[in-house]
Amino acid sequence: MSPVETAATSNPAVKEPREARKRAIALAKADPREKECLIRAMYFESNRSSEAGLLGVGTVVLNRVESPRYPETICGVVGAPRQFASGVLTRPMAARDLPKVEAAAEDILNGKRNEAVGAAKHFHMAGMRFSYTNMHYMTVAGGNAFYVKGERPERRRIEEPSYQLAAVSEPAPVVTRSSTMPTSFTNAPLAFAPTAPAAAAATPASQASKLVNKALLPPSRPFDLGLRTKTAAAFIAPPRRDARLAALMPDSRGLRGSVPLN
């Protein structure tokens, strides 16, 4: 395909979006040069193996056609200085990739859009990050990140765009926060306490334990609260365990020496 000569690049004084889109599409269907401008923008600005990416670039071109800030023709939008890839209207295109791009351009002219792109009029190479606060990303497709620039961020702000090429789900990172409040015995965090109070050990209702519980504390140690518990524990027999210990000794007849084994 031969290099394309751009149409009018001047911005109209007043542009009605719907009428501007109708005029641009009608012109592209009547003039092959206008359609070729759309094909070239989609060819050089997107991964040609991604239909979503091709439709995304075509959606941006038509969104700019509808905007009063951009020219009213497709070639005027694509040929604007420093807006699309360098040499987008003059560089040669490989014939093997044209059928898919041409089909996507025909879908754009027939009203098909990348719905995830929405009203975005800007995109850049995916993976790049900028510090501007007026860039609100919409989606990523065909190697490009599409974003809305400074248009009502309070209504739509997507910090991380959704990817249309591959859906990769990763577990969300665990965020830990350290508390700055002073720790004391009265306001200790729950993390330092057991989840449920431990069940109190049942004291056997024996005659010895009853005597110990009713015994008076010595005058010299009136606050020894653990005395009764320790004394009562002395009357409780340790639990019986059925553990047996076996010692395996080698046969003494197979050992050398004159000292007998005990």
Side-chain angles (χ1 to χ4, degrees):
M1 303 180 74
S2 59
V4 178
E5 298 179 359
T6 61
T9 57
S10 59
N11 297 352
V14 179
K15 181 191 291 188
E16 201 281 325
R18 183 174 299 179
E19 295 299 326
R21 182 181 69 252
K22 289 182 178 180
R23 290 194 301 266
I25 292 177
L27 181 60
K29 291 183 176 181
D31 190 349
R33 297 179 300 174
E34 289 288 313
K35 183 179 180 179
E36 185 180 345
C37 288
L38 180 61
I39 293 174
R40 284 178 166 272
M42 298 168 68
Y43 181 94
F44 288 108
E45 290 289 0
S46 179
N47 183 356
R48 291 177 286 278
S49 63
S50 171
E51 182 181 3
L54 294 174
L55 294 177
V57 175
T59 301
V60 169
V61 173
L62 268 295
N63 288 344
R64 290 193 175 191
V65 168
E66 298 176 2
S67 174
R69 296 185 177 183
Y70 297 92
E72 59 181 351
T73 63
I74 294 178
C75 285
V77 169
V78 178
R82 298 182 299 276
Q83 295 298 315
F84 288 86
S86 177
V88 63
L89 297 179
T90 57
R91 292 163 57 186
M93 296 184 294
R96 66 177 181 273
D97 298 325
L98 285 178
K100 185 173 184 178
V101 182
E102 290 175 349
E106 188 68 25
D107 292 338
I108 289 291
L109 296 178
N110 291 331
K112 189 175 182 179
R113 299 289 186 271
N114 188 330
E115 299 297 336
V117 173
K121 302 179 184 66
H122 307 273
F123 61 89
H124 61 72
M125 184 181 299
M128 301 178 64
R129 290 291 181 268
F130 300 91
S131 59
Y132 303 108
T133 59
N134 61 344
M135 298 172 62
H136 313 294
Y137 290 96
M138 307 294 288
T139 186
V140 173
N144 293 319
F146 299 86
Y147 64 94
V148 178
K149 185 177 180 181
E151 297 181 9
R152 306 191 70 172
E154 69 279 1
R155 295 193 59 184
R156 177 160 186 121
R157 176 164 184 154
I158 303 179
E159 299 297 342
E160 293 296 334
S162 59
Y163 287 77
Q164 298 187 27
L165 293 181
V168 180
S169 61
E170 297 181 357
V174 178
V175 179
T176 58
R177 297 180 180 178
S178 59
S179 176
T180 57
M181 298 179 60
T183 303
S184 64
F185 292 101
T186 57
N187 59 355
L190 294 179
F192 297 96
T195 56
T203 304
S206 60
Q207 295 295 333
S209 60
K210 291 180 179 180
L211 292 176
V212 172
N213 291 333
K214 295 181 180 180
L216 298 178
L217 294 175
S220 60
R221 304 181 65 183
F223 298 100
D224 194 352
L225 302 181
L227 178 62
R228 295 178 178 177
T229 304
K230 296 177 183 179
T231 308
F235 292 91
I236 301 175
R240 183 177 180 181
R241 298 179 182 178
D242 294 335
R244 299 181 180 179
L245 179 62
L248 300 179
M249 299 299 295
D251 189 3
S252 60
R253 293 174 295 180
L255 299 178
R256 296 181 180 180
S258 57
V259 179
L261 296 177
N262 296 327

